[in-house]
Amino acid sequence: VPSKAPRHFLTLNDINRAELQQIITRAIELKAMLRQGTAPEPFNNKVLAMIFEKNSTRTRVSFESGMAKLGGHAIFLSTKDSQLGRGEPIEDAARCIASMVDMVMIRTYAHSTVQRFAEYSRVPVINGLTDEYHPCQLLADIQTYVEQRGSLAGKTVAWVGDGNNMCNSYIQAAELCDFELRIATPKGFEPEDEFVTPYKDRVSLSNDPRAAVAGADLVVTDTWASMGQEDEKKQREKIFSGYQVNKDLMSLANSDALFMHCLPAYRGKEVSADILDAPDAVVWEEAENRMHAQNALMEFLFNQ
Ligand code: CP
Ligand code: NVA
């Protein structure tokens, strides 16, 4: 039984600037070693439980494959086929699951569910996306930018579209990585004040995607209807129609600007097909980096 409180990763604010840098540097190293077939096995005898209340492709595959490649094992649990879907309290599940594994990754609707799980878990808990945050995706995005262009410090990032979980995590990233974040959303779809107010000096809100993207070094968007908002899809498509990232919008950004998207993407909606399918698109590298960044994160958490 661990003697001290476990170190969780529920939002980017759970790590400091130096730790982020260490994780990104290690992610790049582990990626190179995996590609050369010289990766270590730091997860030998370690088991990760992965709990999903929502669907996933990348998060599941990246965590499960990452654990396996570095010597560990992962268990997939969905609320559909575990007792969590039949009303077992999250606190009870946390105590039991954490007693048998070494780390937990959990994806939920309410962010408070992840917080409650973490409170009762004696092993580190990683947020694999909630309605409020997606910190693991930011690790991958930061790694990708660093690999392609170097440090994000002093750069300008444009967030175009919905003020959602990804947007909230970008706000925290702006502080950790020292960049300016310009958020352009339709009226009424801004991130909540509580997420923006502490970062007012580096984050700005508007309803003008062109102004946000002008001179940006990185342009990011996400689906217009997140998981749980399926009923609003049609209505949102109308409201967000002026917020598509396409060649015309990207032409306003810096000439070496990158486009990122956490995926899944909807061509012809939030992003045009030519941007996503461009030969120099980094979104596929960004997706692969989920695995490398999370491998580095898990190693970091195991070493606390
Ligand atoms: N980007 C991301 O989290 O993808 P999945 O929903 O497929 O896990
Ligand atoms: N904002 C999206 C991200 C999916 C990875 C959602 O929450 O569904």
Side-chain angles (χ1 to χ4, degrees):
V1 179
S3 52
K4 54 180 184 177
R7 183 91 188 255
H8 302 304
F9 183 69
L10 308 190
T11 79
L12 279 182
N13 283 355
D14 287 330
I15 53 173
N16 64 33
R17 285 181 178 199
E19 289 167 338
L20 174 67
Q21 195 139 33
Q22 182 193 331
I23 291 167
I24 299 300
T25 303
R26 182 64 174 159
I28 293 169
E29 249 171 49
L30 286 171
K31 179 179 183 175
M33 289 191 281
L34 275 170
R35 287 188 171 177
Q36 289 156 11
T38 58
E41 296 204 335
F43 305 154
N44 199 10
N45 287 322
K46 302 286 189 198
V47 179
L48 171 76
M50 309 184 294
I51 303 167
F52 288 91
E53 238 178 48
K54 291 170 167 168
N55 290 38
S56 168
T57 296
R58 280 144 290 268
T59 302
R60 179 187 177 175
V61 175
S62 57
F63 273 103
E64 190 163 340
S65 183
M67 274 307 281
K69 282 174 185 279
L70 300 188
H73 183 81
I75 301 172
F76 172 79
L77 292 153
S78 91
T79 43
K80 293 185 198 80
D81 48 37
S82 65
Q83 299 290 2
L84 280 166
R86 298 179 63 253
E88 180 169 20
I90 196 80
E91 292 83 358
D92 294 357
R95 282 181 281 207
C96 297
I97 294 169
S99 73
M100 294 179 252
V101 303
D102 304 284
M103 196 168 287
V104 175
M105 189 289 305
I106 177 165
R107 166 172 286 197
T108 64
Y109 289 93
H111 188 69
S112 60
T113 306
V114 170
Q115 290 172 320
R116 283 161 56 207
F117 192 101
E119 203 182 313
Y120 284 82
S121 169
R122 67 185 198 205
V123 299
V125 175
I126 297 171
N127 175 1
L129 179 141
T130 65
D131 288 346
E132 292 185 13
Y133 295 105
H134 199 0
C136 289
Q137 184 66 50
L138 263 292
L139 296 182
D141 288 18
I142 294 163
Q143 179 188 344
T144 308
Y145 194 89
V146 168
E147 285 174 339
Q148 301 285 331
R149 298 285 184 269
S151 168
L152 269 160
K155 302 286 181 185
T156 300
V157 179
W159 174 269
V160 179
D162 193 14
N164 63 9
N165 42 13
M166 277 296 299
C167 182
N168 293 335
S169 283
Y170 259 93
I171 293 172
Q172 293 187 338
E175 180 69 19
L176 268 187
C177 300
D178 190 24
F179 59 78
E180 179 195 345
L181 180 64
R182 300 186 199 145
I183 299 169
T185 68
K187 284 201 173 59
F189 294 86
E190 296 86 2
E192 302 281 343
D193 284 346
E194 60 171 302
F195 300 113
V196 183
T197 308
Y199 308 105
K200 273 268 156 65
D201 53 335
R202 51 175 84 247
V203 175
S204 60
L205 304 184
S206 80
N207 310 114
D208 185 350
R210 299 182 76 84
V213 168
D217 301 291
L218 170 62
V219 178
V220 196
T221 191
D222 187 11
T223 179
W224 291 336
S226 284
M227 287 182 276
Q229 298 171 336
E230 287 77 9
D231 294 350
E232 302 168 31
K233 196 162 168 266
K234 281 276 157 293
Q235 193 195 352
R236 281 171 167 265
E237 279 175 14
K238 283 195 200 107
I239 297 168
F240 284 82
S241 63
Y243 289 78
Q244 183 184 85
V245 179
N246 50 35
K247 286 250 157 96
D248 174 47
L249 192 65
M250 283 303 289
S251 72
L252 303 171
N254 276 344
S255 56
D256 67 345
L258 294 177
F259 167 76
M260 290 193 199
H261 190 311
C262 63
L263 306 178
Y266 299 91
R267 289 170 176 77
K269 303 288 193 285
E270 77 274 9
V271 59
S272 62
D274 51 4
I275 295 282
L276 205 66
D277 297 323
D280 60 350
V282 299
V283 291
W284 316 114
E285 192 84 8
E286 180 190 358
E288 180 188 330
N289 284 343
R290 287 291 304 277
M291 181 174 77
H292 305 299
Q294 290 158 193
N295 283 345
L297 171 70
M298 290 192 286
E299 189 185 50
F300 170 80
L301 293 174
F302 277 132
N303 286 340
Q304 294 304 300

